[in-house]
Amino acid sequence: MKKIQTNTTEVFKRIVLTLILVLAVSFSEVSAQNDPVKLGFIPLTDCSPIVMAKELGLFKKYGVEVVVTKESSWANVRDKILTGELDGAHCLYSMPFSVYTGVGGKAGSEMKIAMMLNVNGQAITLSKDFCGKVGFKQMNKIAPVVAAKLKAEKEVTFAMTFPGGTHDLWLRNWMAIAGVNQKTSKIITIPPPQMVANMKVGNMDGYCVGEPWGGVAVKQGIGFTQVASQDIWKDHPEKALVVNKEFSEKRRTDLVKVMKAVLEACIWLDNPANRKKAAGIIGKAPYVNAPADVIENRLMGNYDLGCNQGTEVYAKDYMLFYKGGLVNYPRKSYAIWAMAQYVRFGYLKEAPNYKAIADKLILQDLYEEVAKSMKVKVPNDDMKPFSLTMDKTVFDPSNPAAYLKVVKK
């Protein structure tokens, strides 16, 4: 009888412990769902979808509390997303692939792309030392001037913002198109907001970064715009909403709400009538902390090039955030293109499993669900061959090896 009583007591204890564990897990999950979503951004004009979703009250509209934080560098964004300190961020679209392949982080680390935020709107800025020697889009003059500078000073330095990031890829494509040997030039990593200050003290001869830091260099008279990124590749992919893996899995409902708010902000931003207001808001110190007129002009496609070159007006290929849904769809073909560049430029010795990585890191099905719920058109052009505007080499995402055999290094 005593033995039966003991067994009953043990069973009762186990039931109680199980109930406590279940309640603790349930409480933890409910608590997590009630936690604010933490989104980071880097001070760049293309952080606008996240900032304006906050400022316009769109996160509240969709029933999610969001805290936005200014971050100091892309490496900082990477680390905070991976650790969960940030649930997500405005991010270089190629960063998740750079990190996963070991180019820009610990290989195998997963960061998920939920949606794209913008196309176009970056630039190659050259220091005033090049003024009068190389003009806007004069690609054939770049290599001779760089060679002469190398001979005279023994070193030419260009800056980008993250290894394997978009600015790195536009810079290296620009150098390849211009015929500049990347092995003889020094390429350094500088956070976007620090580009202008570093050029001012002579730390680099040129840099690739997003606006407004190209326009600010012109305004301050320390550099000029040699080419905009949309000249290299019209409507190229640029920033994405990148999220923590666990957040995407355990707080899917909140992620959907965030995506809806950001997508509505992208639609709002593509109305030219709203861009002056956006420039005034994102130019403030808590966000980009740059002159609103510089932000507004380049947002509107009016580029003062500097170096007495006048103004270039981009009528249809300035920074875009929506374009009828064409901007926001996260294409796997663009992921494969980015990873092919890592092989092309020597970051990777062997080709990665392109398609498997793209499938793993891009939440394409989730985006399609969100887009359809908002009656936003989902493009049907993914995985089709394409070419860049300046480099006409055809890239077939189903056969990157063929492209790598013929493209300029």
Side-chain angles (χ1 to χ4, degrees), residues 44 73-75 92 95 159-163 165-168 188-193 195 208-210 239:
L44 289 162
S73 69
W74 291 120
L92 304 160
M95 186 192 287
M160 48 77 183
T161 63
F162 187 83
T166 53
H167 303 131
D168 188 16
I188 61 175
T189 302
I190 300 288
M195 286 292 190
C208 182
V209 73
K239 301 302 189 300

Side-chain angles (χ1 to χ4, degrees), residues 222-272:
I222 63 165
F224 65 95
T225 301
Q226 199 280 323
V227 70
S229 57
Q230 54 264 37
D231 297 313
I232 297 171
W233 180 4
K234 181 182 177 183
D235 290 348
H236 65 78
E238 185 51 43
K239 301 302 189 300
L241 174 62
V242 173
V243 296
N244 170 271
K245 179 186 177 185
E246 186 176 355
F247 173 74
S248 72
E249 294 169 348
K250 294 188 176 179
R251 298 183 63 181
R252 187 176 180 277
T253 302
D254 284 340
L255 176 53
V256 166
K257 292 174 182 178
V258 167
M259 290 170 69
K260 287 180 177 180
V262 171
L263 187 53
E264 186 168 328
C266 287
I267 295 169
W268 183 89
L269 282 160
D270 255 18
N271 182 343

